[in-house]
Amino acid sequence: MAPRLSNIHIYRVGFSFNPFAKYRLLKNLSFGFDYFRYLKDKSEGGISDIEATANSHDIGSEIDLTITWQILSDLQWSLSYGHFMPGDAFPDSADDEDSYFSNSLTFMF
């Protein structure tokens, strides 16, 4: 979602782990999970998403899944999936769930 920070509380719980840490080739492969909860500070106020017009604190929640592999010291691959579930702050005409997918390869020099 990546909202601008105004009239909003963001709560996050997450973890990551390296299941193949004892294997040389895959020791830097990690899996992550994050859960976000978004709430308006003032229910009648607006946020950066102009579709969240209903008078409710509940903006929604999001789940993110990430795979990151530091292949070499200067090469990293990331695969991410996120799913946002709007809350009661969105009227029925604008409460569609939204997903995103990202695949990136980063070379650092």
Side-chain angles (χ1 to χ4, degrees):
M1 183 173 154
R4 288 185 217 140
L5 301 178
S6 62
N7 192 37
I8 191 169
H9 294 280
I10 302 172
Y11 300 94
R12 175 182 171 241
V13 174
F15 64 89
S16 66
F17 62 100
N18 299 59
F20 306 111
K22 60 182 168 180
Y23 300 103
R24 189 175 65 96
L25 183 61
L26 299 175
K27 73 177 183 177
N28 294 321
L29 178 69
S30 65
F31 296 85
F33 172 85
D34 288 304
Y35 173 79
F36 295 88
R37 188 76 175 114
Y38 302 102
L39 300 168
K40 286 183 184 179
D41 183 47
K42 297 186 180 356
S43 63
E44 66 280 357
I47 59 171
S48 60
D49 189 329
I50 59 172
E51 294 183 336
T53 58
N55 191 5
S56 172
H57 289 283
D58 182 18
I59 298 170
S61 55
E62 179 177 344
I63 295 172
D64 292 346
L65 305 171
T66 307
I67 301 172
T68 304
W69 186 18
Q70 189 73 41
I71 302 167
L72 300 169
S73 63
D74 57 357
L75 186 64
Q76 178 178 297
W77 171 71
S78 294
L79 189 64
S80 301
Y81 170 78
H83 187 76
F84 176 70
M85 296 140 298
D88 293 337
F90 290 88
D92 290 341
S93 61
D95 68 351
D96 295 334
E97 294 188 5
D98 195 18
S99 295
Y100 71 88
F101 180 77
S102 171
N103 185 16
S104 65
L105 188 64
T106 305
F107 177 67
M108 298 164 269
F109 56 95

